[in-house]
Amino acid sequence: MVAVLSLVGAAATPTAAHEAAPSDTATSGPVIQAGGFDLTRPELVATGMQIPWGLAFLPDGSALVSERATARIFRLRPGVAPALVATVPGVVPSGESGLLGLAVSPTFATDNLVYAYLTASADNRIVRFRLDTPGTVTVIRSGIPKATIHDGGRLAFGPDGMLYAGTGDANNTANAQNLNTPAGKILRMTPTGGVPAGNPFANSVVYSYGHRNVQGLAWDPQGRLFATEFGQNAIDEVNQIVAGGNYGWPTCEGTCNNPAFRNPIVTWTTAEASPSGTAIANNTLFAAALRGTRLWLVPLNGSGGTSGPPTIELQGTYGRIRTVAIGPDGYLWIATSNRDGRGTPVASDDRVVRFPPMTGGTTVFEDTFETNLGWVANASGTDNATAGRFERGDPEATTSGGLTYQLGTTTSGVNCLVTGRLAGTSAGANDIDGGVTSMRSPAIALPTGRTLTLSLRYYLAHLNNASNADFLRVRVNNTVVLERLGAPANTAAAWQTATINVSSFAGQSVTITVEAADASGASLVEAAIDDVRIS
């Protein structure tokens, strides 16, 4: 099904903003190193937006932002006026529904695809279109029940390359426990809207159920999925999502002693939160609170739970916060929702704001791999890969079946750390084979008395004959700080960003080890690392 895209909109045009206005500074004292970000240094990216909702980033670092009621999508760059790139046709906004979540294809560099969750005349649906030639919109998943409330709407590509969507119960509580409807669920689908391998229910895109209204999706460095969810009158939730999990709604709101249901890892009253978007960085889950008019920071323990109580930041500073995201620039981004009929907007609303990482002005270590800084292959002497070992260099693109499994581009300059740098005569000619390959950095002396953040760009790509024995891992000394596992699904290469709090290593001399493995030798597995930085 296709529809025509228009490039005109009747609503007022948002504007760029270069500095934080007085109303954009905290009123309750300075906030220092909150979750690895400096919340005392807000940078206004755009003002005058009309209920921004979805926020997704393009490979060049610019942001796409959707407006719920106008159906417009803008491209934002700090210091540059917002550019209208599309007005999506067929959007029928009402109450909480309209043009909602956005996601950028993991292979945008080759397919230019943008995905959107929207409300049409009869249903909620997921569509996609090319950003370079936005002439048509293709519906990839329709028939999601709609209402004026509880429409869900968040979209995100997972580390497995699949598209995830959070839906609401469409104001019908029975939908949440009914596996025959996509309402009140988290959905997992292929980029074309099909049912991928590994879904828990046969011939279904349902990944988890028993949800009331999911509007936030994010993954930790170990690849675990977390979701934020609106409660009814009492309890909001953060849940760690597992395939096939039943999260209890409408029988349970919050924690309950029923082994049939999975309990949340965090709960709040609805007045404190009403959480929409979520993001994860530096072992911290950030939850954007609408009614709570604040940003919640939840410390994660690396095992799917929490390591301490949540803390509050930005309370009352920006009003209702709809969306929070980590940009490829390393900044924390938020979007407000004060013009949605439930807030008290100021003249500059709605706003998109970003906050810089808390670096203290010092980069401890940085390697873009343009020069040789002394990384050592097989430093432990235990590598056993027979081909496709890590090396520093300019990679050649590898494609198979229309998908790119090794990118011919890096995130900066021309070099990166990559497995099987040369393409060879076929897609699998120089990929990892037969075991593990690794590279270790030179020793890095870390200072004391400050927050330390490791950031890097990476990808793990593989054919559908991969398994969770295939992996990409990053270690600091002997501690795994990032892990991505293979899965039985075709997963194209796409640069992703990881930010990891490594303050626990302060005062130590450390090395960073990058490992990748093809356990069977039969599958095609490629991996790469670029722009490694500790600050």
Side-chain angles (χ1 to χ4, degrees):
M1 179 177 181
V2 297
V4 176
L5 259 175
S6 169
L7 291 176
V8 296
T13 301
T15 59
H18 301 274
E19 298 180 357
S23 60
D24 293 303
T25 57
T27 58
S28 56
V31 179
I32 303 296
Q33 297 186 3
F37 298 94
D38 187 350
L39 302 188
T40 67
R41 295 168 57 202
E43 300 178 15
L44 275 170
V45 180
T47 62
M49 300 203 75
Q50 304 295 314
I51 321 177
W53 214 103
L55 174 60
F57 295 94
L58 295 171
D60 67 359
S62 62
L64 297 180
V65 178
S66 62
E67 291 184 330
R68 188 177 76 185
T70 68
R72 301 185 300 184
I73 297 175
F74 286 90
R75 188 172 190 169
L76 304 185
R77 295 182 176 90
V80 178
L84 178 64
V85 294
T87 300
V88 182
V91 176
V92 183
S94 178
E96 297 175 359
S97 66
L99 180 60
L100 304 178
L102 296 177
V104 172
S105 168
T107 53
F108 180 88
T110 55
D111 61 31
N112 257 263
L113 288 173
V114 175
Y115 292 72
Y117 185 114
L118 62 87
T119 308
S121 59
D123 59 5
N124 287 313
R125 52 184 55 188
I126 299 168
V127 305
R128 69 181 190 179
F129 61 91
R130 289 182 60 92
L131 192 62
D132 57 352
T133 53
T136 59
V137 170
T138 300
V139 178
I140 67 165
R141 177 62 57 171
S142 60
I144 303 169
K146 74 166 197 169
T148 57
I149 58 175
H150 308 178
D151 289 280
R154 195 66 61 184
L155 286 181
F157 277 95
D160 57 0
M162 297 298 109
L163 181 64
Y164 291 73
T167 72
D169 67 10
N171 201 26
N172 180 351
T173 60
N175 281 337
Q177 293 294 321
N178 181 357
L179 289 174
N180 293 317
T181 174
K185 310 294 189 297
I186 292 175
L187 310 178
R188 176 178 181 262
M189 66 197 76
T190 68
T192 57
V195 178
N199 271 17
F201 305 106
N203 303 314
S204 174
V205 295
V206 172
Y207 190 70
S208 64
Y209 65 111
H211 299 291
R212 182 173 181 269
N213 194 16
V214 174
Q215 290 191 4
L217 300 169
W219 287 262
D220 71 4
Q222 292 74 37
R224 284 181 289 259
L225 173 60
F226 295 78
T228 43
E229 180 168 350
F230 291 82
Q232 186 173 26
N233 300 314
I235 303 296
D236 293 325
E237 302 175 358
V238 176
N239 288 294
Q240 197 257 304
I241 304 300
V242 299
N246 184 344
Y247 291 82
W249 178 255
T251 303
C252 288
E253 182 181 2
T255 302
C256 65
N257 296 318
N258 187 328
F261 305 134
R262 295 186 63 88
N263 283 326
I265 66 167
V266 173
T267 61
W268 299 289
T269 68
T270 53
E272 293 175 308
S274 298
S276 185
T278 191
I280 293 175
N282 307 319
N283 300 323
T284 302
L285 181 145
F286 299 85
L290 289 164
R291 186 178 171 192
T293 65
R294 67 195 74 178
L295 187 67
W296 281 103
L297 277 64
V298 180
L300 301 177
N301 63 10
S303 300
T306 63
S307 61
T311 57
I312 300 169
E313 305 294 352
L314 305 180
Q315 185 168 3
T317 307
Y318 295 98
R320 294 166 60 82
I321 304 177
R322 168 71 65 184
T323 297
V324 59
I326 310 299
D329 54 8
Y331 281 60
L332 181 78
W333 292 57
I334 64 169
T336 69
S337 189
N338 293 313
R339 296 191 180 276
D340 63 4
R342 295 172 177 169
T344 305
V346 299
S348 59
D349 276 325
D350 273 313
R351 292 164 282 177
V352 175
V353 186
R354 69 174 189 158
F355 302 90
M358 192 68 200
T359 65
T362 302
T363 297
V364 178
F365 175 82
E366 183 175 20
D367 198 348
T368 61
F369 302 103
E370 297 311 296
T371 59
N372 185 357
L373 296 188
W375 289 70
V376 177
N378 191 20
S380 66
T382 58
D383 288 8
N384 57 356
T386 58
R389 293 196 172 194
F390 267 121
E391 59 182 308
R392 183 185 70 87
D394 182 2
E396 295 181 355
T398 298
T399 61
S400 177
L403 295 179
T404 300
Y405 291 96
Q406 179 169 288
L407 296 174
T409 58
T410 65
T411 58
S412 64
V414 297
N415 294 330
C416 64
L417 288 187
V418 63
T419 58
R421 183 181 67 83
L422 300 177
T425 57
S426 62
N430 288 325
D431 72 310
I432 310 167
D433 277 329
V436 177
T437 175
S438 67
M439 294 281 282
R440 179 181 294 173
S441 75
I444 306 163
L446 298 183
T448 60
R450 52 182 287 194
T451 298
L452 296 169
T453 300
L454 168 64
S455 63
L456 54 90
R457 304 297 298 278
Y458 71 93
Y459 65 76
L460 176 67
H462 51 74
L463 291 176
N464 60 9
N465 56 358
S467 73
N468 61 10
D470 305 320
F471 61 80
L472 171 67
R473 290 185 185 135
V474 177
R475 298 179 186 268
V476 175
N477 289 345
N478 291 319
T479 302
V480 176
V481 297
L482 175 72
E483 181 177 70
R484 290 290 180 262
L485 301 179
N490 291 329
T491 300
W495 287 110
Q496 301 184 59
T497 301
T499 55
I500 304 151
N501 189 316
V502 292
S503 302
S504 60
F505 297 95
Q508 301 180 36
S509 177
V510 303
T511 57
I512 301 168
T513 301
V514 178
E515 303 171 317
D518 178 355
S520 70
S523 56
L524 186 157
V525 178
E526 300 277 15
I529 296 284
D530 203 0
D531 291 344
V532 176
R533 182 179 294 107
I534 298 179
S535 55

